[in-house]
Amino acid sequence: MVILPFRGLPGTTSFVPRPVVDIGIAHQSASAVVALCDTGALHNHFAGWVADLIGLDLEGVEGEAIGVGGQHLLARTAVVSLRIGDVEWEAPVSFCAPWPWDYQLLGQEGFFRWFEVTVRAADRELEITPIAA
């Protein structure tokens, strides 16, 4: 179990505490990105440049038109390795372009199904406990 304080979203002009985590992502290489835990998102949505960062070639992956936050995006989905702390799992991530935000989104199928997540908005903290396999 890990308890994380809410943080402001990167790239925003005002500080509003949110359930944000640092998440590791790996394919041929590894990196870390900042992600908002979004209970309204069904899938994980990351910027297209993150795929480039980890050496993931999406050239042959069919794109799908989706809407996120009022934006029209082209998403290409691949399964990658994700990590929070000592917990690692494989999950699909939709890499999207254009991506106008400085943070990624963690959704129900690619994040919440792997953890018991308690959001304590009054305390501005997020508790994440891996679900035993």
Side-chain angles (χ1 to χ4, degrees):
M1 170 188 62
V2 63
I3 297 176
L4 302 168
F6 280 18
R7 302 181 349 215
L9 292 173
T12 57
T13 56
S14 62
F15 179 77
V16 178
R18 310 265 182 158
V20 175
V21 300
D22 294 317
I23 185 162
I25 180 169
H27 182 65
Q28 290 179 346
S29 61
S31 192
V33 295
V34 175
L36 173 66
C37 300
D38 185 355
T39 60
L42 183 57
H43 303 290
N44 295 334
H45 299 290
F46 285 26
W49 59 261
V50 175
D52 296 334
L53 187 67
I54 63 170
L56 178 60
D57 182 7
L58 296 172
E59 188 66 33
V61 178
E62 185 175 338
E64 174 186 10
I66 64 170
V68 176
Q71 303 289 319
H72 297 282
L73 310 171
L74 180 63
R76 290 185 166 86
T77 302
V79 174
V80 295
S81 178
L82 300 173
R83 174 185 290 274
I84 294 177
D86 293 336
V87 179
E88 187 171 327
W89 73 102
E90 288 192 345
V93 172
S94 296
F95 295 94
C96 305
W99 188 258
W101 304 285
D102 292 337
Y103 55 91
Q104 319 314 307
L105 297 177
L106 294 173
Q108 295 173 32
E109 288 298 315
F111 170 67
F112 286 95
R113 70 177 290 225
W114 300 96
F115 298 91
E116 180 179 307
V117 180
T118 303
V119 178
R120 294 190 196 93
D123 296 328
R124 295 183 173 174
E125 66 183 19
L126 183 70
E127 181 179 314
I128 303 171
T129 304
I131 295 172

